[in-house]
């Protein structure tokens, strides 16, 4: 819209507002004048000699003051008040409906920047009540959270969940598979298999530590030998409260920079079950290493 069009629209809306304001004032002035005229006519009607004409003038005065004038005042004041009440009630209803729609929205949450921050991962992990399942390639960043960050930031949260009986399952690409060699060459990451092996060794140490503490929950690690398609973090996938964080691997893009999609089983049931079915099929081909 051009500046001239905006000025024209503003001028039109301003003129309409001015016209409405003036019309209300004129209606009110007319109503007051009709009341006064009606009262004057009513007062002078008794002095008219002709009884019939006197009665006619009296009734005309009453009609002007009590019917027309009061009707105008009703339109100006009472109907305006009722209109404001109606608009206020309508706004309340629309606000509530829009709020309900926002709360019940089925749209997934998308994190365009890629991998979530550590605090967001912890929030996701802490939702688990029975199972936490994560599928990736080397899970190097995840392993680093255990030994390179303060226990308060991540490890303590995992331990607390293990105490509550949450079972942890981590699934990585098999470093000894032909697929892992192909992946290294295709992505030009010659040390990828070594990173996976380091993660597995780190998880073995954690497994021994947690087993010694005899937590209720379990800590298990698996490997698969298929082309990596995505990283997924499932929370309670077999329950109605299941949630998932999904990130697809994109050619030419670092895995950490791939957008992350957050869905829930309650709001995105079909989508959730599709991904979970894929992971279940993958899991059937896995072998446990820790």
């Amino acid at each position: 819209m051009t500046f001239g069009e905006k000025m024209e629209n503003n001028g039109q809306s301003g003129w309409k507002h001015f016209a409405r304001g003036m019309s209300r004032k004129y209606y009110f002035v007319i109503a007051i004048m009709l009341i006064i005229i009606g009262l004057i006519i009513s007062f002078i009607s008794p002095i008219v000699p002709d009884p019939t004409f006197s009665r006619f003038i009296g009734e005309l005065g009453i009609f002007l003051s009590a019917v027309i004038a009061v009707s105008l005042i009703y339109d100006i004041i009472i109907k305006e008040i009722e209109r404001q009440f109606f608009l206020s009630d309508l706004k309340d209803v629309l606000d509530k409906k829009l709020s309900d729609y926002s709360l019940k929205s089925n749209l997934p949450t998308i994190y365009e920047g890629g991998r979530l921050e550590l605090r967001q991962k912890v929030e996701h992990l802490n939702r688990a009540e029975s199972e936490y399942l994560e599928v990736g390639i080397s899970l190097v960043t995840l392993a680093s959270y255990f030994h390179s960050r303060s226990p308060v930031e991540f490890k303590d949260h995992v331990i607390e969940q293990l105490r509550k009986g949450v079972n942890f399952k981590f699934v990585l690409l098999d470093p000894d598979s032909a697929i892992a060699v192909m992946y290294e060459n295709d992505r030009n990451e010659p040390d990828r298999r070594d990173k996976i092996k380091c993660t597995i060794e780190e998880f073995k140490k954690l497994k021994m530590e947690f087993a010694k503490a005899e937590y209720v929950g379990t800590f298990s690690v698996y490997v698969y030998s298929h082309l990596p398609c995505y990283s997924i973090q499932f929370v309670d996938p077999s329950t109605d409260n299941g949630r998932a964080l999904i990130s697809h691997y994109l050619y030419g893009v670092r895995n950490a920079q791939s957008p992350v999609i957050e869905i829930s089983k309650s709001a995105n049931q079909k989508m959730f079950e599709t991904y979970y079915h894929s992971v279940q099929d993958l899991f059937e081909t896995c072998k446990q290493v820790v």
Side-chain angles (χ1 to χ4, degrees), residues 109-175:
T109 301
I110 299 176
Y111 302 91
E112 297 181 358
R115 180 180 294 154
L116 272 63
E117 298 177 6
L118 177 56
R119 61 173 181 80
Q120 294 172 303
K121 186 179 184 70
V122 169
E123 289 173 3
H124 181 69
L125 180 150
N126 283 340
R127 290 192 179 108
E129 296 181 358
S130 58
E131 181 181 6
Y132 179 86
L133 169 63
E134 182 163 349
V135 179
I137 297 176
S138 54
L139 301 184
V140 173
T141 303
L142 173 67
S144 71
Y145 290 156
F146 285 100
H147 61 75
S148 66
R149 306 296 288 260
S150 169
V152 176
E153 292 184 80
F154 186 74
K155 186 177 180 180
D156 287 352
H157 293 277
V158 174
I159 291 175
E160 182 61 26
Q161 291 294 76
L162 287 168
R163 286 198 180 105
K164 293 178 180 178
V166 175
N167 297 320
F168 285 82
K169 297 177 182 177
F170 299 102
V171 186
L172 304 86
L173 180 62
D174 188 346

Side-chain angles (χ1 to χ4, degrees), residues 24-39:
R24 291 194 188 98
K25 291 178 182 178
Y26 282 131
Y27 287 155
F28 190 75
V29 170
I30 292 170
I32 296 298
M33 290 178 63
L34 287 174
I35 291 175
I36 294 172
I37 293 171
L39 291 174

Side-chain angles (χ1 to χ4, degrees), residues 10-207:
N10 290 337
Q12 290 177 352
S13 61
W15 179 84
K16 290 178 182 178
H17 180 73
F18 172 77
R20 288 194 184 102
M22 291 301 293
S23 65
R24 291 194 188 98
K25 291 178 182 178
Y26 282 131
Y27 287 155
F28 190 75
V29 170
I30 292 170
I32 296 298
M33 290 178 63
L34 287 174
I35 291 175
I36 294 172
I37 293 171
L39 291 174
I40 292 173
I41 292 174
S42 298
F43 285 140
I44 65 174
S45 62
I47 63 175
V48 176
D50 187 343
T52 303
F53 188 59
S54 174
R55 187 190 308 165
F56 170 76
I57 292 177
E59 290 178 355
L60 177 62
I62 295 173
F63 176 77
L64 288 174
S65 59
V67 178
I68 297 179
V70 171
S71 177
L72 282 172
I73 292 175
Y74 171 80
D75 287 338
I76 296 168
I77 300 176
I78 299 178
K79 285 184 69 173
E80 179 65 20
I81 293 173
E82 289 178 348
R83 175 177 171 274
Q84 293 301 325
F85 277 130
F86 170 76
L87 292 176
S88 178
D89 291 342
L90 182 62
K91 181 179 180 300
D92 292 340
V93 171
L94 289 176
D95 287 345
K96 185 178 186 305
K97 289 294 182 183
L98 290 174
S99 176
D100 290 344
Y101 175 79
S102 178
L103 291 172
K104 297 174 183 177
S105 175
N106 292 336
L107 295 176
T109 301
I110 299 176
Y111 302 91
E112 297 181 358
R115 180 180 294 154
L116 272 63
E117 298 177 6
L118 177 56
R119 61 173 181 80
Q120 294 172 303
K121 186 179 184 70
V122 169
E123 289 173 3
H124 181 69
L125 180 150
N126 283 340
R127 290 192 179 108
E129 296 181 358
S130 58
E131 181 181 6
Y132 179 86
L133 169 63
E134 182 163 349
V135 179
I137 297 176
S138 54
L139 301 184
V140 173
T141 303
L142 173 67
S144 71
Y145 290 156
F146 285 100
H147 61 75
S148 66
R149 306 296 288 260
S150 169
V152 176
E153 292 184 80
F154 186 74
K155 186 177 180 180
D156 287 352
H157 293 277
V158 174
I159 291 175
E160 182 61 26
Q161 291 294 76
L162 287 168
R163 286 198 180 105
K164 293 178 180 178
V166 175
N167 297 320
F168 285 82
K169 297 177 182 177
F170 299 102
V171 186
L172 304 86
L173 180 62
D174 188 346
D176 298 323
S177 66
I179 295 294
V181 177
M182 185 188 303
Y183 183 85
E184 270 191 343
N185 295 333
D186 187 62
R187 300 280 292 195
N188 193 25
E189 299 178 5
D191 59 345
R192 174 64 72 169
R193 286 183 295 163
D194 290 336
K195 289 181 178 180
I196 298 174
K197 291 176 181 178
C198 288
T199 298
I200 292 174
E201 290 302 314
E202 180 68 26
F203 283 165
K204 284 181 179 178
K205 295 176 185 178
L206 290 168
K207 170 81 170 183

